[in-house]
Amino acid sequence: MRTDYKVLGNYIRLVDERNKDLSVTNLLGVSIGKKFIPSIANIVGTDLSSYKIVKTGQFAYGPVTSRNGEKISIAYLDGDDCIISSSYTVFEVSNKEELDPEYLMLWFSRPEFDRYARYKSHGSVREIFDWNELCMVELPVPDIKEQKNIVKAYKTITDRIALKKQINDNLEATAQAVFQEQFASFYGADELPDGYSIVNLDSLCTVKGGKRLPADCELLDTPTEHPYIRVRDVGSSRYVCLTNQFQYIDEETHSAISRYIVNTGDIVISIVGTIGLLGKVHSSLDKANLTENCVKLTNIHTVTSDYLYYTLCYKKQIKEIELLTVGAVQAKLPIYNIQSMKILVPPTKVIEDFQNKMDVFNEQIEANTVEVQKLYELQEVLLAKLSD
């Protein structure tokens, strides 16, 4: 052990307070994203008195690491008290004058900690990272003032990310409102004005599917020249933009599926799993490979990609895309249903005027998107320095 590292077990202690009087009703779970999230468990008729209470400033983690996305579910509660399943382990920092809980959460947030937890997990049926293993974790414990300064720096970045995302959300909402105010009323109208028409989507673009990876191929965490767009990479914002969460394929795999790439400005739609996620391909993903669980709209003509994107956002909002899905066991959005989707085509001058309005939003949204990604990279650098 490095001389400046300490054993975590000297700074934490178990907590096991049960909800015996049912005083806490806020039921949460812990995600692999290291956050407390609303529980999706059906608790009708469930006795919640045996559930564990987590108080503000305490931690909870799920010891089972197998089949957990190679991550450990662990989180720090900085909101209202909650209850969680008794399968979780709850603990707290015993001496906050020596170890800041939020600094400890930053340590847990490092990808290296996930790898460590998986390596130290054991068990024949389920692999467990138990309490004893957690207590044996070694970490740097600098002066408490330095810990708080690190936490403050990380929070500053986090707050900036939240601000930029909120600005983009507001810009997107305004852009969608502009589209709906100008065009939504034409859907369902008995007659269209001169110069307007309703056509099938495939008369405005080419609809193509992605490609399943070869059976012997594994996605890589180490960046290559070939990022691979998955469903999880789509829908968090208007742009599908290269981030630190992307995975990659090697040159040999890319050669085998090189026909299934996207280009800047293409629109991507998820068709399996979470259906109807939408995104416009950012220049950072030009020539990236696309999963078979998405399709791309490419070679867009007559209308603009922005007009088509907001048309699809509107159709998703009014649940039309849901009506196009098929399948009882696993729902899917077939390509032929996408191709036959009815799209309003306004006159060229109207499209040009709409695009001019969108260009004002585009510049701000793209700039904010790029800044958010750079801020995420800065967070990673800060976390990596914890172990320097």
Side-chain angles (χ1 to χ4, degrees), residues 361-372:
F361 296 111
N362 288 346
E363 184 177 354
Q364 298 177 65
I365 291 172
E366 182 172 8
N368 289 338
T369 300
V370 171
E371 182 178 346
V372 165

Side-chain angles (χ1 to χ4, degrees), residues 258-296:
S258 59
R259 293 172 52 205
Y260 300 90
I261 60 172
V262 297
N263 297 106
T264 302
D266 288 351
I267 295 172
V268 176
I269 308 175
S270 62
I271 60 171
V272 178
T274 305
I275 293 174
L277 297 176
L278 299 166
K280 182 179 173 183
V281 176
H282 185 260
S283 58
S284 60
L285 285 172
D286 188 48
K287 304 298 189 294
N289 292 92
L290 182 66
T291 173
E292 79 278 9
N293 294 327
C294 289
V295 299
K296 66 174 181 178

Side-chain angles (χ1 to χ4, degrees), residues 52-66:
K52 294 181 178 180
I53 294 176
V54 186
K55 294 186 176 180
T56 302
Q58 294 178 340
F59 295 81
Y61 84 97
V64 178
T65 60
S66 52

Side-chain angles (χ1 to χ4, degrees), residues 345-378:
V345 179
T348 301
K349 182 62 169 64
V350 175
I351 288 289
E352 290 175 350
D353 290 343
F354 174 77
Q355 188 60 45
N356 288 336
K357 296 175 185 176
M358 293 303 102
D359 287 342
V360 176
F361 296 111
N362 288 346
E363 184 177 354
Q364 298 177 65
I365 291 172
E366 182 172 8
N368 289 338
T369 300
V370 171
E371 182 178 346
V372 165
Q373 176 52 26
K374 291 185 180 300
L375 289 168
Y376 277 131
E377 292 172 0
L378 188 57

Side-chain angles (χ1 to χ4, degrees), residues 202-270:
D202 64 355
S203 67
L204 301 173
C205 63
T206 303
V207 183
K208 285 187 175 182
K211 181 64 175 178
R212 183 187 299 274
L213 292 175
D216 59 347
C217 170
E218 290 187 2
L219 288 172
L220 308 173
D221 292 323
T222 304
T224 70
E225 294 183 0
H226 307 295
Y228 187 79
I229 301 174
R230 304 154 296 174
V231 170
R232 62 180 289 182
D233 302 315
V234 181
S236 60
S237 64
R238 185 231 289 229
Y239 287 105
V240 186
C241 182
L242 184 63
T243 72
N244 53 8
Q245 299 300 311
F246 265 74
Q247 290 184 295
Y248 299 80
I249 56 176
D250 58 32
E251 188 64 42
E252 182 179 354
T253 303
H254 172 71
S255 297
I257 61 173
S258 59
R259 293 172 52 205
Y260 300 90
I261 60 172
V262 297
N263 297 106
T264 302
D266 288 351
I267 295 172
V268 176
I269 308 175
S270 62

Side-chain angles (χ1 to χ4, degrees), residues 75-99:
Y76 170 76
L77 185 65
D78 58 0
D80 295 335
D81 295 356
C82 70
I83 51 174
I84 59 173
S85 166
S86 58
S87 62
Y88 288 105
T89 300
V90 181
F91 65 96
E92 64 185 6
V93 174
S94 54
N95 188 344
K96 297 180 178 61
E97 297 302 316
E98 294 184 12
L99 179 62

